[in-house]
Amino acid sequence: MKFEEIYQQYAPGVFRLCMGYVNNHEQARDLTQDTFIAVWKYLPSFRNESKLSTWIYRIASNNCFTAVEKAKRFVLTDFPENLAFEPDSSKEQQLQFLYKCISELPETERIIISLVLEDVHQEEIASIVGLSYVNTRMKIHRIKEKLAKKFKNNGSF
Amino acid sequence: MEAFNDLQQLWLSTSVKALPHSGELLKTIRAHRRKAMLTSAAAMAFGIVLLAVMVWVLFAYKSAYITTRIGEACLLLAIGIFLAAKFTIFKKALNSSSYSNANFLKALKDDQLSLLTSLKRMQGIGFAFASSGLLLYVYEEAAKNSHVVLALSLVAAWLALNWFVVRPFALRRRLKKDAEAIQRIEQIINQL
C-alpha cells in the first residue's frame, strides 16, 4: 500500500484521535503530522504482525502520550459534573462540548474513547493500549456511561 | 446505546480541512529526514574524523615518551565511547515502533532510567579518558619547550572548567528534563 493511500485513509481518524487528546486543532494537526512522519519512517519495517490500522493508531497514541512539551500546556482536571451547556446549541457547539468532555478525561481514557468513536474494534483497542480484552471492555463501558450521562444531563441527546 | 451512536456521528463530523495534503506532508517528511540525517551524520562524521586523525597521529608522530602513547590510547577510547553511545541511541529508536502503548511506555521509562545512569557513567568514563589522554599527550611537547608547568596548568584549568562547571550544569538540566518525562510516563502507566 502506498504512503499516499495510507495517509488518505487514516489521516482523518488519526487527526480526530489527536483532537480527542489535545482538544486543539493546531496541536492535533502537528501530532497527526508527527504520526505520519513516523509511519513513513517505519513503514518498510512494518511486518504485518498486526493490522495496519492498529499499528498506525498505536504510533499516534504513543505520540500523544510522549508529547511531553506540548502536554505541559494541557490542563488535566477531574471530569466536571456540572458543565454549562446550551440545549439548543448548534452541532459545532455540541462537537466542541464533546471534545471538551473527552479532553478532561485521564490521558489513557481519552485515547480509548477516541478509538471507540473511530469504530475501532475492542480487541484492536486492547492490542493498541496493551490492556487485556476484559479490562478494555470494562473501561470502555465506564467511559461511555460517563459521556452519555454528561450529554443527557445537559439535554443534548 | 442510541445516544452513544449519536455521539459517534457527531465525532465523525469533525472537519479535517486543516490537514495538509499528502504531497505537502511528503515534502515536510523529506525536509525532516534530511535534517535528521544531517544531524546524525555530522555527529558520527565528527567522531570518525577525530578517530582517523588520532590513528594518523599515532603512526605519524614518533613520540619519545610512553606517556604520549598512553594519552593517545586514552583519547582513542574516549572517541570510541562517544561513537558507541551515539550508535546505541540510534538502534533503540529503530526498535521502538511496534510496541503496544503499555509496553512502549514501560520501555520508554526503563530506557530513560538506564540512560540517566549510563549517561552519568559513560560521560564520567569518557571525560576521564579524554582528560587524562589530553594531559598525557601535551606533556611531551610541553616538556620539550620548557613551558611544561604553564601548558599543563592551562590544559588542566580548561578541563576543570568543563568538569566542575559545564558538565554539572548540563547534567542537572538533563536530569531535570528526564525526571519530568519519567514522572509523566509513570502517571500514564498508572492509568493502564
Side-chain angles (χ1 to χ4, degrees), chain B residues 109-129:
Chain B
K109 188 186 151 197
D110 292 345
D111 268 6
Q112 226 137 9
L113 283 171
S114 74
L115 200 69
L116 282 182
T117 8
S118 63
L119 182 83
K120 270 191 199 157
R121 204 174 39 223
M122 294 271 266
Q123 258 194 4
I125 296 171
F127 198 82
F129 272 124

Side-chain angles (χ1 to χ4, degrees), chain A residues 47-99:
Chain A
R47 291 182 294 270
N48 284 312
E49 282 163 3
S50 61
K51 280 171 73 177
L52 185 64
S53 57
T54 308
W55 183 67
I56 292 173
Y57 284 127
R58 201 178 272 168
I59 293 177
S61 44
N62 281 338
N63 243 342
C64 289
F65 288 145
T66 51
V68 180
E69 290 305 315
K70 288 169 190 155
K72 281 179 188 165
R73 282 177 264 144
F74 312 151
V75 183
L76 185 68
T77 55
D78 290 334
F79 194 84
E81 287 303 317
N82 291 302
L83 262 181
F85 185 73
E86 297 291 326
D88 55 349
S89 58
S90 68
K91 198 175 178 184
E92 184 53 35
Q93 277 174 310
Q94 286 184 327
L95 189 60
Q96 279 175 18
F97 181 70
L98 172 63
Y99 278 119

Side-chain angles (χ1 to χ4, degrees), chain B residues 131-166:
Chain B
S131 308
S132 45
L134 200 61
L135 278 169
L136 291 169
Y137 188 74
V138 295
Y139 177 72
E140 183 176 342
E141 204 55 37
K144 281 179 191 164
N145 292 326
S146 71
H147 295 306
V148 62
V149 178
L150 179 71
L152 287 179
S153 305
L154 281 174
V155 175
W158 183 74
L159 290 172
L161 180 80
N162 275 291
W163 184 254
F164 294 111
V165 181
V166 178

Side-chain angles (χ1 to χ4, degrees), chain B residues 55-77:
Chain B
V55 172
W56 177 76
V57 167
L58 209 65
F59 289 102
Y61 181 65
K62 305 289 174 206
S63 57
Y65 293 13
I66 186 71
T67 50
T68 312
R69 287 288 179 227
I70 299 170
E72 284 165 350
C74 287
L75 284 170
L76 277 174
L77 273 169

